[in-house]
Amino acid sequence: MAKTKRIGIITAGGDSPGLNAAIRGVGKAALSSGMEVIGFRDGFRGLAENLRYPLDKTTLAGILTIGGTILGTGRDKPHRMEINGELRDVTDLILRNYDRNKLDALVCIGGGGTHKNALRLVDKGLNIVTLPKTIDNDVALTDATIGFDTALDIATEAVDRLHSTAHSHHRIIIAEIMGHRAGWLTLGAGIAGGADVILIPEIPYDPRKVAAAIRARSKHGTNFSIVAVAEGAVDGDTGLAFEAAARRKKNAKNKLEKQNAKRELQDLTTRHNGNTLRLAKELEELTNLEARVTILGYVQRGGTPSPGDRLLATRLGTMCVELIADGVFGVMVAARGEGAKPVPIADVAGNLKMVPKDHTWIQSARRVGTCLGD
Ligand code: F6P
C-alpha cells in the first residue's frame, strides 16, 4: 500500500480545453492510490493566498467534458505578483502554504510561463510535477499539449466556413489564428482547412509574394483566397528587428542592456498589434480584391474539449500520479507517441517548441501549392 500523500494542483497561464480532464485524471488516480488532493484557485496566486478548492469524488465528478478550468487560472508569477497594487515576490508565502497544507507534491498544469515559474519553486525545494497544456502546442520536449487538438478543430472549422463566403463575394478572407510565437495552430488549421496562404511566425513573409500567389489564383479563374495568419506572423523587416532585439536581450552584459532590449521587444510587440488589419489593406492594394479579416481569438480556447484532448489529459494526468507515487519530481510528463515520459522541468523552462522550417507539415503544405509567404 502506497504511503498516503497529499497533492496540491494548480492550473496556470491561459486556459485551454482539457484542463478539467487533466485535473480529473490526476485527482481520480490520486484518490484511488490513497492520496489526498487539494486544488488551489487561480494559478500561483492561489498558492500564495492559500485559496483552497476541495477536490474529492464529488467535485471531480462530471468535469471531464467541461471547458475552462474549475480551479480558475491566471498569469501571475511567484516572483512578481501584484498584491494590493504592489508587485511582490511571494515565493516564501508559497513555500509556507505548501508546508502549512502538508503537501508532499504539487502538480502545475501549464505552458511556457508556468514551467519557468515551476522551475523557480523546484529550485526552492518543492516536489513538483507538471503537465503541458496550451492551445499553441509550443511546450518543449512533448509531442502534444492539452488543448491543441480542440483548438485545431475550432480553427479548422472556421477556415472551412470562410471558404463559402469568400467564394461568394470573390474576396480575400484573412483568418487570424492564435499563436504569438509558434505557428502550429495556424499551420495545422491552414493545411486541414485548405487555406491558400499560411503565414506563421517562424517564416517571415513578403506581402508582395502573398499578393502574387493570390493574383495567380485570380489569373486561373479563382477570384477568392483564404489566408490563415498567426497572431505573431511578421513580415521580413519586422522579423529581422525582432531577431536583433531578442539577440541583444540574450547577449546583454548587464541589467541595463537587458532592460533596454526587453523594452525594445515590448515596443515591437506593441507596434505589431493590428498587423492582420494592416496586412488586409496591403493585400487589397496589391491585388485589387476586397479583403476581410476574421479574428478567431478566444473562441479557440473555449468550450468542450475534443476526445483527443480528454484522452491526452487523462493519460498524462494518471501517469503524473504514478511518478509522484514513485517519488519522481522536478519533471514534466511529456507525451511521446502513444506513451508518456518524464523530462526535467529544467529542460522545458525557457525553451519553446517552434515549427521547424523543414517540418513535414511545412513540406506537405508546399507540395499542395500553399503559399507560405516566403
Ligand atoms: O498561450 C495561449 C494563448 O492563447 C496564445 O495563443 C495567445 O497569444 C495568448 O494565449 C493570449 O493570452 P491572454 O489570455 O493573456 O490574452
Side-chain angles (χ1 to χ4, degrees):
M1 177 87 172
K3 178 174 164 278
T4 301
K5 294 189 176 177
R6 188 179 282 178
I7 304 179
I9 309 185
I10 60 165
T11 49
D15 72 339
S16 71
L19 283 174
N20 285 324
I23 295 167
R24 173 184 176 272
V26 174
K28 288 206 166 190
L31 293 181
S32 63
S33 310
M35 301 178 192
E36 277 181 65
V37 196
I38 307 175
F40 291 86
R41 294 175 198 268
D42 302 342
F44 291 95
R45 178 171 293 276
L47 285 170
E49 298 184 356
N50 203 27
L51 308 174
R52 293 158 48 114
Y53 184 104
L55 288 175
D56 52 30
K57 268 193 174 155
T58 312
T59 50
L60 289 168
I63 63 170
L64 177 65
T65 60
I66 298 174
T69 159
I70 56 167
L71 294 178
T73 187
R75 293 201 186 270
D76 294 301
K77 304 176 173 94
H79 64 296
R80 275 169 68 81
M81 195 176 293
E82 199 184 309
I83 308 267
N84 297 330
E86 255 180 64
L87 274 185
R88 281 181 56 191
D89 182 343
V90 296
T91 310
D92 285 345
L93 273 181
I94 291 178
L95 301 185
R96 222 175 300 147
N97 283 329
Y98 180 95
D99 287 340
R100 193 185 291 168
N101 285 293
K102 298 191 171 43
L103 298 183
D104 297 298
L106 175 68
V107 178
C108 303
I109 311 174
T114 303
H115 282 86
K116 286 192 207 165
N117 291 325
L119 182 60
R120 289 192 184 100
L121 299 179
V122 170
D123 291 343
K124 295 282 179 187
L126 298 197
N127 292 334
I128 295 188
V129 179
T130 62
L131 299 184
K133 73 82 214 164
T134 162
I135 65 161
D136 295 352
N137 195 32
D138 61 359
V139 176
L141 301 179
T142 181
D143 289 353
T145 57
I146 299 163
F148 175 68
D149 187 64
T150 311
L152 185 60
D153 273 356
I154 297 168
T156 301
E157 189 191 340
V159 174
D160 286 350
R161 285 178 183 272
L162 291 173
H163 269 84
S164 58
T165 173
H167 177 260
S168 306
H169 282 272
H170 321 300
R171 281 173 173 159
I172 301 167
I173 296 201
I174 307 182
E176 185 188 284
I177 295 173
M178 272 188 167
H180 267 120
R181 282 166 300 176
W184 294 106
L185 190 55
T186 306
L187 182 60
I191 294 173
D196 308 295
V197 179
I198 300 177
L199 305 176
I200 61 173
E202 292 87 343
I203 305 180
Y205 60 84
D206 178 344
R208 287 162 306 181
K209 294 203 172 148
V210 175
I214 292 171
R215 278 199 309 265
R217 280 171 57 78
S218 301
K219 215 170 137 193
H220 291 103
T222 314
N223 245 339
F224 77 94
S225 286
I226 302 291
V227 179
V229 59
E231 281 175 305
V234 287
D235 63 28
D237 289 344
T238 313
L240 289 176
F242 266 108
E243 259 176 44
R247 228 182 356 259
R248 273 194 279 282
K249 185 179 156 205
K250 193 172 168 216
N251 300 334
K253 292 196 189 69
N254 52 48
K255 223 174 162 182
L256 183 67
E257 278 187 19
K258 192 159 190 168
Q259 266 172 3
N260 286 341
K262 269 188 176 174
R263 198 166 308 127
E264 212 182 317
L265 278 170
Q266 191 48 53
D267 288 348
L268 283 167
T269 306
T270 307
R271 258 180 278 150
H272 185 259
N273 285 339
N275 186 57
T276 305
L277 296 168
R278 286 193 293 276
L279 175 65
K281 186 135 196 356
E282 219 172 347
L283 291 180
E284 277 191 339
E285 281 161 12
L286 291 167
T287 63
N288 281 327
L289 287 170
E290 259 188 341
R292 294 286 189 270
V293 170
T294 296
I295 297 177
L296 301 187
Y298 296 88
V299 164
Q300 295 160 103
R301 293 215 317 231
T304 309
S306 67
D309 272 328
R310 295 179 208 176
L311 188 55
L312 178 67
T314 307
R315 272 171 51 206
L316 301 187
T318 50
M319 167 77 159
C320 168
V321 174
E322 267 183 55
L323 293 170
I324 291 172
D326 291 344
V328 181
F329 300 116
V331 294
M332 175 184 84
V333 191
R336 286 293 159 83
E338 295 296 304
K341 185 181 172 222
V343 296
I345 294 173
D347 294 347
V348 177
N351 292 317
L352 276 186
K353 184 179 75 178
M354 314 285 278
V355 180
K357 291 208 174 76
D358 58 352
H359 192 269
T360 52
W361 291 9
I362 298 271
Q363 290 176 20
S364 298
R366 291 195 196 280
R367 285 192 191 118
V368 294
T370 311
C371 167
L372 297 179
D374 57 346

